[in-house]
Amino acid sequence: MTITQAISRADELRLNTISHDQKVEWVTGIDRQLAERMDHKMPEYNWPAEDDTLLLPAPHDWVYVVYLCSQIDYYNNETTLYANDKAVYDAALNEALGWWRRNHCPDDSGNVQVM
């Protein structure tokens, strides 16, 4: 998913007047946080010259859309929607990080010492 795709999908789900630049900051910010948590090379964005691809692939790229929806709801004082979005975001994020660990981290099961 690209930055523009994430923003477009969130805009389809939530009517808002938040600037496009602000949403770009949010989505690239969460992508940088994900890169740090995954011990991945920090992404460099060339926005708006290029529509950069975000770190998480499908189907885990839903994390970006739900995060944007939660931010929109938060800043629009939609507290009930924000709480729901946050719960969905947390679940999607945990699933994505679990997938990342299973597929990109070395197996450490041999490091257990039995005494």
Side-chain angles (χ1 to χ4, degrees), residues 10 15 27 33-34 51-52 56 65 68-69 71 75 82-83 88 93 108:
L15 295 175
V27 78
Q33 288 178 24
L34 288 168
D51 191 15
D52 299 299
L56 291 176
V65 177
L68 286 170
C69 287
Q71 291 296 98
Y75 285 99
Y82 170 74
V88 172
L93 178 61
D108 63 355

PDB file of all heavy atoms in Angstrom, residues 10 15 27 33-34 51-52 56 65 68-69 71 75 82-83 88 93 108:
ATOM      1  N   ALA A  10      -8.819   5.738   4.080  1.00  0.00           N
ATOM      2  CA  ALA A  10      -9.299   6.340   5.333  1.00  0.00           C
ATOM      3  C   ALA A  10     -10.319   7.438   5.038  1.00  0.00           C
ATOM      4  O   ALA A  10     -11.332   7.553   5.728  1.00  0.00           O
ATOM      5  CB  ALA A  10      -8.126   6.893   6.136  1.00  0.00           C
ATOM      6  N   LEU A  15     -15.455  11.038   6.866  1.00  0.00           N
ATOM      7  CA  LEU A  15     -15.508  12.399   6.348  1.00  0.00           C
ATOM      8  C   LEU A  15     -14.652  13.266   7.253  1.00  0.00           C
ATOM      9  O   LEU A  15     -14.723  13.152   8.479  1.00  0.00           O
ATOM     10  CB  LEU A  15     -16.942  12.906   6.328  1.00  0.00           C
ATOM     11  CG  LEU A  15     -17.892  12.181   5.378  1.00  0.00           C
ATOM     12  CD1 LEU A  15     -19.309  12.704   5.560  1.00  0.00           C
ATOM     13  CD2 LEU A  15     -17.435  12.338   3.940  1.00  0.00           C
ATOM     14  N   VAL A  27       0.674   9.013   8.670  1.00  0.00           N
ATOM     15  CA  VAL A  27       0.934   7.681   8.118  1.00  0.00           C
ATOM     16  C   VAL A  27       2.441   7.409   8.014  1.00  0.00           C
ATOM     17  O   VAL A  27       2.893   6.300   8.282  1.00  0.00           O
ATOM     18  CB  VAL A  27       0.194   7.460   6.776  1.00  0.00           C
ATOM     19  CG1 VAL A  27       0.883   8.142   5.619  1.00  0.00           C
ATOM     20  CG2 VAL A  27       0.012   5.984   6.482  1.00  0.00           C
ATOM     21  N   GLN A  33       7.596   4.359  13.165  1.00  0.00           N
ATOM     22  CA  GLN A  33       7.503   3.650  14.442  1.00  0.00           C
ATOM     23  C   GLN A  33       7.518   2.142  14.228  1.00  0.00           C
ATOM     24  O   GLN A  33       8.174   1.407  14.982  1.00  0.00           O
ATOM     25  CB  GLN A  33       6.234   4.054  15.184  1.00  0.00           C
ATOM     26  CG  GLN A  33       6.267   5.451  15.743  1.00  0.00           C
ATOM     27  CD  GLN A  33       4.963   5.816  16.427  1.00  0.00           C
ATOM     28  OE1 GLN A  33       4.213   4.955  16.869  1.00  0.00           O
ATOM     29  NE2 GLN A  33       4.680   7.111  16.503  1.00  0.00           N
ATOM     30  N   LEU A  34       6.811   1.691  13.205  1.00  0.00           N
ATOM     31  CA  LEU A  34       6.810   0.263  12.890  1.00  0.00           C
ATOM     32  C   LEU A  34       8.201  -0.208  12.502  1.00  0.00           C
ATOM     33  O   LEU A  34       8.641  -1.280  12.926  1.00  0.00           O
ATOM     34  CB  LEU A  34       5.815  -0.032  11.767  1.00  0.00           C
ATOM     35  CG  LEU A  34       4.345   0.056  12.162  1.00  0.00           C
ATOM     36  CD1 LEU A  34       3.468   0.026  10.916  1.00  0.00           C
ATOM     37  CD2 LEU A  34       3.982  -1.062  13.109  1.00  0.00           C
ATOM     38  N   ASP A  51       5.093   8.607  -4.491  1.00  0.00           N
ATOM     39  CA  ASP A  51       4.095   7.999  -3.611  1.00  0.00           C
ATOM     40  C   ASP A  51       4.704   6.713  -3.072  1.00  0.00           C
ATOM     41  O   ASP A  51       4.562   5.649  -3.656  1.00  0.00           O
ATOM     42  CB  ASP A  51       2.801   7.731  -4.383  1.00  0.00           C
ATOM     43  CG  ASP A  51       1.654   7.362  -3.475  1.00  0.00           C
ATOM     44  OD1 ASP A  51       1.763   7.591  -2.256  1.00  0.00           O
ATOM     45  OD2 ASP A  51       0.645   6.861  -3.981  1.00  0.00           O
ATOM     46  N   ASP A  52       5.409   6.838  -1.960  1.00  0.00           N
ATOM     47  CA  ASP A  52       6.190   5.732  -1.422  1.00  0.00           C
ATOM     48  C   ASP A  52       5.318   4.587  -0.923  1.00  0.00           C
ATOM     49  O   ASP A  52       4.221   4.780  -0.421  1.00  0.00           O
ATOM     50  CB  ASP A  52       7.065   6.233  -0.271  1.00  0.00           C
ATOM     51  CG  ASP A  52       8.041   7.295  -0.731  1.00  0.00           C
ATOM     52  OD1 ASP A  52       8.872   6.984  -1.599  1.00  0.00           O
ATOM     53  OD2 ASP A  52       7.967   8.432  -0.231  1.00  0.00           O
ATOM     54  N   LEU A  56       4.411  -2.324   5.767  1.00  0.00           N
ATOM     55  CA  LEU A  56       3.608  -3.542   5.924  1.00  0.00           C
ATOM     56  C   LEU A  56       2.912  -3.926   4.619  1.00  0.00           C
ATOM     57  O   LEU A  56       2.237  -3.105   4.017  1.00  0.00           O
ATOM     58  CB  LEU A  56       2.545  -3.351   7.010  1.00  0.00           C
ATOM     59  CG  LEU A  56       3.050  -3.249   8.442  1.00  0.00           C
ATOM     60  CD1 LEU A  56       1.890  -2.961   9.383  1.00  0.00           C
ATOM     61  CD2 LEU A  56       3.770  -4.521   8.858  1.00  0.00           C
ATOM     62  N   VAL A  65      -4.669   2.252   7.571  1.00  0.00           N
ATOM     63  CA  VAL A  65      -6.008   2.812   7.379  1.00  0.00           C
ATOM     64  C   VAL A  65      -6.711   2.989   8.723  1.00  0.00           C
ATOM     65  O   VAL A  65      -7.279   4.049   9.002  1.00  0.00           O
ATOM     66  CB  VAL A  65      -6.841   1.917   6.430  1.00  0.00           C
ATOM     67  CG1 VAL A  65      -8.253   2.459   6.283  1.00  0.00           C
ATOM     68  CG2 VAL A  65      -6.160   1.788   5.076  1.00  0.00           C
ATOM     69  N   LEU A  68      -5.172   5.865  10.659  1.00  0.00           N
ATOM     70  CA  LEU A  68      -5.627   7.165  10.155  1.00  0.00           C
ATOM     71  C   LEU A  68      -7.065   7.451  10.595  1.00  0.00           C
ATOM     72  O   LEU A  68      -7.387   8.574  11.003  1.00  0.00           O
ATOM     73  CB  LEU A  68      -5.514   7.227   8.635  1.00  0.00           C
ATOM     74  CG  LEU A  68      -4.100   7.378   8.080  1.00  0.00           C
ATOM     75  CD1 LEU A  68      -4.100   7.192   6.575  1.00  0.00           C
ATOM     76  CD2 LEU A  68      -3.516   8.725   8.457  1.00  0.00           C
ATOM     77  N   CYS A  69      -7.932   6.454  10.526  1.00  0.00           N
ATOM     78  CA  CYS A  69      -9.316   6.632  10.984  1.00  0.00           C
ATOM     79  C   CYS A  69      -9.349   7.022  12.456  1.00  0.00           C
ATOM     80  O   CYS A  69     -10.116   7.906  12.864  1.00  0.00           O
ATOM     81  CB  CYS A  69     -10.133   5.364  10.747  1.00  0.00           C
ATOM     82  SG  CYS A  69     -10.557   5.062   9.031  1.00  0.00           S
ATOM     83  N   GLN A  71      -7.023   8.552  14.194  1.00  0.00           N
ATOM     84  CA  GLN A  71      -6.531   9.921  14.343  1.00  0.00           C
ATOM     85  C   GLN A  71      -7.594  10.932  13.919  1.00  0.00           C
ATOM     86  O   GLN A  71      -7.795  11.945  14.590  1.00  0.00           O
ATOM     87  CB  GLN A  71      -5.254  10.117  13.521  1.00  0.00           C
ATOM     88  CG  GLN A  71      -4.060   9.368  14.061  1.00  0.00           C
ATOM     89  CD  GLN A  71      -3.661   9.873  15.426  1.00  0.00           C
ATOM     90  OE1 GLN A  71      -4.029   9.289  16.448  1.00  0.00           O
ATOM     91  NE2 GLN A  71      -2.926  10.954  15.473  1.00  0.00           N
ATOM     92  N   TYR A  75      -9.227  13.715  16.553  1.00  0.00           N
ATOM     93  CA  TYR A  75      -9.181  15.165  16.360  1.00  0.00           C
ATOM     94  C   TYR A  75     -10.543  15.767  16.023  1.00  0.00           C
ATOM     95  O   TYR A  75     -10.714  16.978  16.112  1.00  0.00           O
ATOM     96  CB  TYR A  75      -8.128  15.538  15.327  1.00  0.00           C
ATOM     97  CG  TYR A  75      -6.754  15.420  15.938  1.00  0.00           C
ATOM     98  CD1 TYR A  75      -5.971  14.295  15.726  1.00  0.00           C
ATOM     99  CD2 TYR A  75      -6.265  16.409  16.782  1.00  0.00           C
ATOM    100  CE1 TYR A  75      -4.732  14.162  16.327  1.00  0.00           C
ATOM    101  CE2 TYR A  75      -5.030  16.282  17.390  1.00  0.00           C
ATOM    102  CZ  TYR A  75      -4.268  15.164  17.153  1.00  0.00           C
ATOM    103  OH  TYR A  75      -3.049  15.040  17.767  1.00  0.00           O
ATOM    104  N   TYR A  82     -13.391   6.809  18.145  1.00  0.00           N
ATOM    105  CA  TYR A  82     -11.960   6.702  18.410  1.00  0.00           C
ATOM    106  C   TYR A  82     -11.655   5.465  19.247  1.00  0.00           C
ATOM    107  O   TYR A  82     -10.716   4.724  18.950  1.00  0.00           O
ATOM    108  CB  TYR A  82     -11.439   7.957  19.118  1.00  0.00           C
ATOM    109  CG  TYR A  82     -10.027   7.780  19.616  1.00  0.00           C
ATOM    110  CD1 TYR A  82      -8.957   7.779  18.717  1.00  0.00           C
ATOM    111  CD2 TYR A  82      -9.754   7.568  20.963  1.00  0.00           C
ATOM    112  CE1 TYR A  82      -7.651   7.596  19.163  1.00  0.00           C
ATOM    113  CE2 TYR A  82      -8.459   7.374  21.410  1.00  0.00           C
ATOM    114  CZ  TYR A  82      -7.412   7.386  20.502  1.00  0.00           C
ATOM    115  OH  TYR A  82      -6.131   7.186  20.944  1.00  0.00           O
ATOM    116  N   ALA A  83     -12.439   5.231  20.281  1.00  0.00           N
ATOM    117  CA  ALA A  83     -12.209   4.069  21.150  1.00  0.00           C
ATOM    118  C   ALA A  83     -12.339   2.771  20.354  1.00  0.00           C
ATOM    119  O   ALA A  83     -11.525   1.853  20.513  1.00  0.00           O
ATOM    120  CB  ALA A  83     -13.183   4.085  22.321  1.00  0.00           C
ATOM    121  N   VAL A  88      -9.497  -1.728  17.374  1.00  0.00           N
ATOM    122  CA  VAL A  88      -9.256  -2.433  16.108  1.00  0.00           C
ATOM    123  C   VAL A  88      -7.808  -2.242  15.671  1.00  0.00           C
ATOM    124  O   VAL A  88      -7.150  -3.189  15.229  1.00  0.00           O
ATOM    125  CB  VAL A  88     -10.232  -1.950  15.017  1.00  0.00           C
ATOM    126  CG1 VAL A  88      -9.866  -2.526  13.660  1.00  0.00           C
ATOM    127  CG2 VAL A  88     -11.659  -2.317  15.381  1.00  0.00           C
ATOM    128  N   LEU A  93      -2.440  -4.232  14.741  1.00  0.00           N
ATOM    129  CA  LEU A  93      -1.008  -4.033  14.951  1.00  0.00           C
ATOM    130  C   LEU A  93      -0.369  -5.266  15.580  1.00  0.00           C
ATOM    131  O   LEU A  93       0.694  -5.717  15.143  1.00  0.00           O
ATOM    132  CB  LEU A  93      -0.772  -2.804  15.836  1.00  0.00           C
ATOM    133  CG  LEU A  93       0.680  -2.495  16.169  1.00  0.00           C
ATOM    134  CD1 LEU A  93       1.483  -2.204  14.901  1.00  0.00           C
ATOM    135  CD2 LEU A  93       0.754  -1.327  17.140  1.00  0.00           C
ATOM    136  N   ASP A 108      14.643 -18.549  18.005  1.00  0.00           N
ATOM    137  CA  ASP A 108      15.497 -18.524  19.195  1.00  0.00           C
ATOM    138  C   ASP A 108      15.180 -19.675  20.151  1.00  0.00           C
ATOM    139  O   ASP A 108      15.569 -19.660  21.302  1.00  0.00           O
ATOM    140  CB  ASP A 108      15.394 -17.181  19.917  1.00  0.00           C
ATOM    141  CG  ASP A 108      13.994 -16.903  20.443  1.00  0.00           C
ATOM    142  OD1 ASP A 108      13.079 -17.705  20.177  1.00  0.00           O
ATOM    143  OD2 ASP A 108      13.824 -15.883  21.130  1.00  0.00           O
TER     144      ASP A 108
END
